[in-house]
Amino acid sequence: MADGAHSGSAMPDPIHQFEINRLWHIDLFGFDASFTNSALFMVVAVALIVGFLLYAISGRLLVPSRLQSLAETAYEFIANMVRESMGEQGMKFFPLVFTIFMFIFTVNMLGMVPGFFTVTSHVAVTAALALLVFTIVLLVGFAKNGLGFLRLFVPSGVPVLILPFVTMIEVISFISRPISHSIRLFANMLGGHITLKVFAGFIVMLLGSQSVAVNLLAPLPLAGAVALMALEFLVAFLQAYVFTMLTCMYLNDALHPGH
Amino acid sequence: MAAETATTTGTEVPHSAGHAKVFPPMNPADFSPQIIWLAITFAALYLLLSRMVLPRIGEVIDERKDRIKRDLESAERLKDETDKALRSYEKALADARSNAGAIAKENQAKLTAEVDVERKKLDAALNAKLADAESSITATKSKAMQSVSEIAADTAAALASALSGQNISVDEAKRAVSTAAGK
């Protein structure tokens, strides 16, 4: 961006922020396992989550401090979500659901810091998470219900004539779950950050112009960027919530396949 | 940042120079390091949370719930005890009231009886005195009356002697007087 001054209307590249940089090249049995900027923020997120929660709960206060009540609120929030969608027997998935929510929420929020990398803006990460959930649903579903898990695809109360058709739709919708599950999170984070960067780029472009009249227009995209920033904070939380909520619903199908 | 130095002319869109041609968020070359590190960090986070962090938070929350339940129970118990104490206090108060009433009534009866006795005594004494006085009056009166008849007899004898010139004894006069008085 140092050359922005003499190039006048140069637009900062909105895609540049998503580039993966290999900070430390590692080769693992022929696979590229390099420690990248993405991995760095994953590690930072894990450290932040564990550090924060352990510190917040360290007082073990009967009347919680602010930090402790924050940790307890997060716990109760996810615990209630799990209980409401899966019932008491779903609580064995609570650590998994809590991990998914805290991980996505924290990397989303870290991504909001200017200059930080957004882990969830890459489809590889969100698809891996969605496939993890999908695989667990399949494994638990068949382990718990045996072939009864297939009832998931045969809704009750449907006329026999159209039952094959409905079953086909159910199978397709089940298989497309990890796709929609992962694309929703990835696209929201990607799109939001590109839009933010574009608006920020407009400010630089307008200020870089020789004309004072054009310079004076710069506050408009600035206001837009501020509003978008607020929206993006909401999206960062909301997408973590949606991903977690859908995880709960899918896991519930594994526990109770009957419609 | 180094990639951006390639953009010098104003019209050029920057990502043509040093970047890969593919859209970075979907670059398959970057998939494996991301997925491998996601697996490592996610597994680490899962283990740390499920083994260490979540049990601690859950423990604190359960402890508080237990404590609140216990406190509510003991408050309920204390309330029952208070009610009981209040009821026994009220009963004692009512008993004391009725006792006090009984004592007051008893005292009043006793006092009334004493007063009655005194009054009767006084009445009797007064009556006795009255009777004495009456009897002494009667005695005095009869004595006086006797004296009167004596005087009358004397006077009658003297008068009769003087008028008749006969010597009339006092006894005769007495007889005459008592005959006259007896009419």
Side-chain angles (χ1 to χ4, degrees):
Chain A
M1 256 175 265
D3 57 335
H6 67 87
S7 61
S9 58
M11 176 92 178
D13 179 7
I15 305 300
H16 174 74
Q17 57 176 323
F18 301 113
E19 264 176 50
I20 296 281
N21 299 315
R22 285 166 177 73
L23 307 174
W24 176 18
H25 286 271
I26 301 172
D27 190 80
L28 195 73
F29 311 118
F31 287 103
D32 182 4
S34 300
F35 190 78
T36 61
N37 50 348
S38 170
L40 173 67
F41 280 99
M42 291 179 195
V43 172
V44 168
V46 171
L48 272 180
I49 296 167
V50 175
F52 166 73
L53 290 178
L54 279 184
Y55 176 70
I57 205 70
S58 62
R60 297 174 149 268
L61 300 171
L62 196 63
V63 178
S65 61
R66 288 180 193 191
L67 279 184
Q68 188 181 323
S69 70
L70 207 59
E72 286 177 15
T73 307
Y75 183 101
E76 298 274 20
F77 175 63
I78 302 299
N80 286 338
M81 193 196 288
V82 170
R83 271 194 212 102
E84 272 162 31
S85 54
M86 288 184 256
E88 205 53 50
Q89 64 190 121
M91 281 308 275
K92 64 182 170 207
F93 292 121
F94 170 64
L96 175 74
V97 176
F98 189 81
T99 307
I100 288 177
F101 176 77
M102 287 309 276
F103 185 79
I104 296 176
F105 177 69
T106 311
V107 294
N108 283 359
M109 281 301 174
L110 278 175
M112 291 308 297
V113 179
F116 280 20
F117 183 83
T118 313
V119 174
T120 38
S121 65
H122 278 249
V123 74
V125 171
T126 61
L129 286 172
L131 280 172
L132 172 72
V133 173
F134 187 73
T135 312
I136 290 173
V137 169
L138 280 180
L139 290 178
V140 173
F142 279 116
K144 233 180 121 55
N145 309 289
L147 286 178
F149 182 56
L150 295 174
R151 271 180 302 158
L152 183 63
F153 307 117
V154 190
S156 54
V158 174
V160 183
L161 208 63
I162 59 165
L163 195 60
F165 184 64
V166 173
T167 303
M168 203 177 72
I169 292 178
E170 289 285 342
V171 170
I172 292 171
S173 85
F174 182 81
I175 290 170
S176 57
R177 270 177 185 181
I179 302 169
S180 64
H181 201 188
S182 58
I183 299 288
R184 183 179 297 106
L185 174 60
F186 145 73
N188 266 287
M189 299 317 292
L190 179 77
H193 280 78
I194 291 178
T195 324
L196 261 179
K197 192 70 180 229
V198 167
F199 268 76
F202 282 149
I203 306 173
V204 178
M205 256 171 67
L206 292 174
L207 284 178
S209 162
Q210 309 296 332
S211 153
V212 179
V214 174
N215 287 164
L216 286 177
L217 287 176
L220 289 177
L222 176 63
V226 170
L228 265 177
M229 194 81 177
L231 182 70
E232 281 309 304
F233 272 109
L234 181 69
V235 168
F237 166 76
L238 215 58
Q239 288 306 318
Y241 174 74
V242 167
F243 194 97
T244 315
M245 193 70 217
L246 285 170
T247 301
C248 286
M249 285 168 57
Y250 297 163
L251 287 170
N252 183 44
D253 282 345
L255 293 177
H256 315 105
H259 274 263
Chain B
M1 288 293 152
E4 282 187 30
T5 51
T7 64
T8 42
T9 63
T11 51
E12 200 180 3
V13 181
H15 60 78
S16 54
H19 299 212
K21 301 274 184 298
V22 263
F23 186 52
M26 291 184 174
N27 185 357
D30 291 336
F31 283 179
S32 89
Q34 285 188 82
I35 292 170
I36 287 168
W37 279 96
L38 175 69
I40 294 169
T41 52
F42 193 84
L45 183 64
Y46 178 78
L47 287 176
L48 285 169
L49 289 183
S50 64
R51 295 283 155 85
M52 190 158 78
V53 177
L54 291 177
R56 285 192 198 181
I57 301 178
E59 220 170 81
V60 170
I61 291 173
D62 286 349
E63 227 166 71
R64 178 175 314 122
K65 272 186 191 146
D66 283 356
R67 176 67 184 274
I68 289 171
K69 207 173 130 223
R70 270 206 311 277
D71 283 1
L72 280 179
E73 276 166 4
S74 77
E76 189 71 22
R77 214 185 50 241
L78 287 175
K79 190 175 165 286
D80 283 352
E81 276 171 19
T82 314
D83 282 353
K84 220 182 283 169
L86 197 67
R87 271 199 299 279
S88 73
Y89 162 75
E90 270 166 4
K91 192 171 169 293
L93 198 66
D95 284 356
R97 276 218 187 93
S98 66
N99 272 350
I103 289 169
K105 217 176 271 174
E106 201 179 299
N107 272 346
Q108 208 177 5
K110 211 158 81 187
L111 282 177
T112 315
E114 273 172 21
V115 167
D116 274 358
V117 169
E118 285 294 316
R119 203 175 54 211
K120 270 175 195 154
K121 231 187 258 172
L122 210 58
D123 277 358
L126 283 176
N127 284 343
K129 273 188 185 158
L130 212 61
D132 275 359
E134 265 171 14
S135 66
S136 82
I137 287 168
T138 319
T140 313
K141 205 164 120 189
S142 64
K143 217 189 227 169
M145 287 310 272
Q146 214 175 328
S147 307
V148 165
S149 61
E150 260 169 41
I151 293 164
D154 281 352
T155 312
L159 275 173
S161 307
L163 283 172
S164 63
Q166 289 177 334
N167 194 13
I168 296 171
S169 73
V170 176
D171 286 342
E172 271 175 309
K174 261 186 195 169
R175 244 178 282 130
V177 167
S178 64
T179 311
K183 281 186 197 161

